[in-house]
Amino acid sequence: MHIPDGFLDLKTTITTAVASAGGLGYGVKEIRRKLGDKHIPLLGVTAAFIFAAQMLNFPIAGGTSGHFLGAALAAILLGPWASLLIITVVLAVQCLGFADGGITALGANIFNMGIIGGVLTYYLIFLPLRKTLPKTKRGFLTTSAITAWASVFIASIIVALELSISGTSPLNVALPAMAGVHALIGIGEAIITSVVLVGVINIRPDLIREYSKPEEEA
Amino acid sequence: MGNNVKTFIFISLIVALILAIFISPFASSSPDGLEKVAEDKGFIEKALEEGVWRLSPIPDYAFPGIGNEAIATAIAGLIGTLITVIIGWLIAKLIIIKK
C-alpha cells in the first residue's frame, strides 16, 4: 500500500509527515532507552529481511497481489519503536533507491505502515491480546497472527481515510475497497509473520522481545 | 555480541538474500491492493506518471541495462537487501551506542 506521488493533498501530506517525524523523534529516545548493543545488528538484519520479503508479491483474488508488510513482526521482535525505525529505513530505501512509493508521500507511508501498522497495532491489539490469551507458545503465536492481520487491515483503512480527505476517492468508495482487499492480504501477513516467529522460536526464542521478557515489563 | 547472535544474524541475512535474489523473480506482477483499488475506482491517473524523485538508481526493482527480467530483479534484490542491512545497522548504531 505504498502511496505514490499525486494521491494526497498538501494538508494530508504535511500532517502525516509531521506525525511521522514526531513519532520517529520519540521512537529514537525509546530505542536508546530500551535496546542495547546486541540489538544493533538485529535491527539491520530485520530491516533487510523485511525489504527482501516486501519484494515477494503473492497473488490474491481477482488479478491483485499483496506483499508482506513486516511492521507487526518487527514490533514483536524488537518493540514498536524499533519497528517504526525499521519500516522507515525500508520505505526510504524503496522510495529513493527503487522508485517505490512517492517521495512526497513518504511521510504518509511511514505514518500508515510504521506508526499505524507497527506502533498503534502493537498497543491496540498485541498488548491487550497478550494479556488475555494464555501465556503459551500457541497463545503467543495466535496473538501475533491476529496483530499481523490487523496491522495491514487497519493501515489500509487509514489509507482510505487519507484518500478521501485528499479528495482522491470518496470514503464510501475507497474504504470498502481498501479494507476488503487488505482483509485478504492480511491473511498472508499473518501466515508469514507466524512462520518467521516459529522459526525464530526454534533457534533463538530469547531474541523475541515479546516472547522472552517478563510480563510486567510490557 | 555473543557468538550465537552472530550465527543468528548470519542465518537471517542469508535467508533475506535468498528471498531477494532467488524468489523475487517469481513474485506476482499483478497490481497490489492500493494500485488495484485505484485502477478499479478510477483514480489511478492521479498518480504522477513519473514520481517527484527521479534519481532512483534502480527504478521498479529492475537493475537498468539488463535484458533478462529475472536477473535484473535478482540484482535489484541483492543490492537492496545489502543496502538496507547496512543503513539499518548504521542508524541503529548511531542511536543505540552509549558513550
Side-chain angles (χ1 to χ4, degrees):
Chain A
M1 64 182 90
H2 293 44
I3 299 175
D5 293 314
F7 275 10
L8 301 181
D9 66 358
L10 190 62
K11 67 175 182 301
T12 312
T13 302
I14 291 175
T15 309
T16 50
V18 169
S20 294
L24 277 167
Y26 178 77
V28 164
K29 283 187 205 153
E30 283 291 301
I31 293 168
R32 189 171 282 149
R33 206 159 63 81
K34 289 190 175 147
L35 301 188
D37 288 358
K38 81 162 182 182
H39 295 108
I40 294 170
L42 289 171
L43 250 88
V45 86
T46 305
F49 176 83
I50 289 173
F51 175 89
Q54 286 204 4
M55 285 184 75
L56 311 180
N57 285 62
F58 47 84
I60 57 166
T64 312
S65 74
H67 66 69
F68 185 56
L69 171 54
L73 174 69
I76 294 162
L77 287 174
L78 292 161
W81 300 102
S83 168
L84 173 58
L85 182 72
I86 286 167
I87 293 297
T88 301
V89 168
V90 171
L91 288 170
V93 169
Q94 289 171 332
C95 169
L96 298 176
F98 299 85
D100 185 16
I103 194 163
T104 60
L106 184 57
N109 283 326
I110 293 170
F111 181 79
N112 300 334
M113 291 180 257
I115 293 189
I116 302 295
V119 179
L120 180 83
T121 322
Y122 173 87
Y123 287 108
L124 199 70
I125 314 282
F126 184 86
L127 283 187
L129 272 181
R130 185 93 179 99
K131 292 205 171 90
T132 317
L133 292 180
K135 309 276 178 293
T136 57
K137 182 172 160 186
R138 180 178 291 196
F140 170 77
L141 288 172
T142 307
T143 299
S144 302
I146 295 171
T147 306
W149 180 84
S151 70
V152 171
F153 185 71
I154 299 174
S156 78
I157 290 173
I158 302 298
V159 173
L161 282 174
E162 290 162 0
L163 293 173
S164 78
I165 292 168
S166 298
T168 297
S169 180
L171 193 60
N172 62 351
V173 173
L175 182 64
M178 282 298 284
V181 68
H182 287 89
L184 293 175
I185 296 175
I187 297 172
E189 185 78 16
I191 294 171
I192 298 168
T193 302
S194 304
V195 168
V196 173
L197 287 173
V198 167
V200 181
I201 285 174
N202 283 332
I203 351 179
R204 285 298 301 265
D206 59 301
L207 292 181
I208 307 175
R209 246 181 97 72
E210 294 300 339
Y211 191 63
S212 51
K213 75 178 177 184
E215 197 190 331
E216 297 73 43
E217 211 193 303
Chain B
M1 191 192 333
N3 211 29
N4 263 338
V5 178
K6 274 184 197 157
T7 311
F8 180 83
I9 299 294
F10 182 74
I11 294 171
S12 310
L13 192 56
I14 295 296
V15 171
L17 286 170
I18 289 172
L19 295 178
I21 297 167
F22 297 108
I23 312 296
S24 69
F26 301 102
S28 165
S29 51
S30 296
D32 77 358
L34 174 58
E35 256 180 292
K36 179 71 172 156
V37 168
E39 285 173 8
D40 290 351
K41 305 301 173 193
F43 62 88
I44 190 78
E45 74 279 358
K46 292 204 180 178
L48 301 186
E49 194 72 28
E50 260 200 272
V52 172
W53 169 260
R54 295 179 187 183
L55 303 176
S56 295
I58 313 177
D60 301 318
Y61 302 91
F63 197 84
I66 291 180
N68 185 317
E69 213 175 291
I71 295 176
T73 305
I75 297 176
L78 167 69
I79 295 174
T81 305
L82 291 179
I83 293 281
T84 308
V85 71
I86 292 167
I87 293 177
W89 195 313
L90 286 178
I91 290 179
K93 196 166 183 173
L94 282 175
I95 294 174
I96 293 172
I97 287 278
K98 289 143 186 155
K99 294 208 168 140

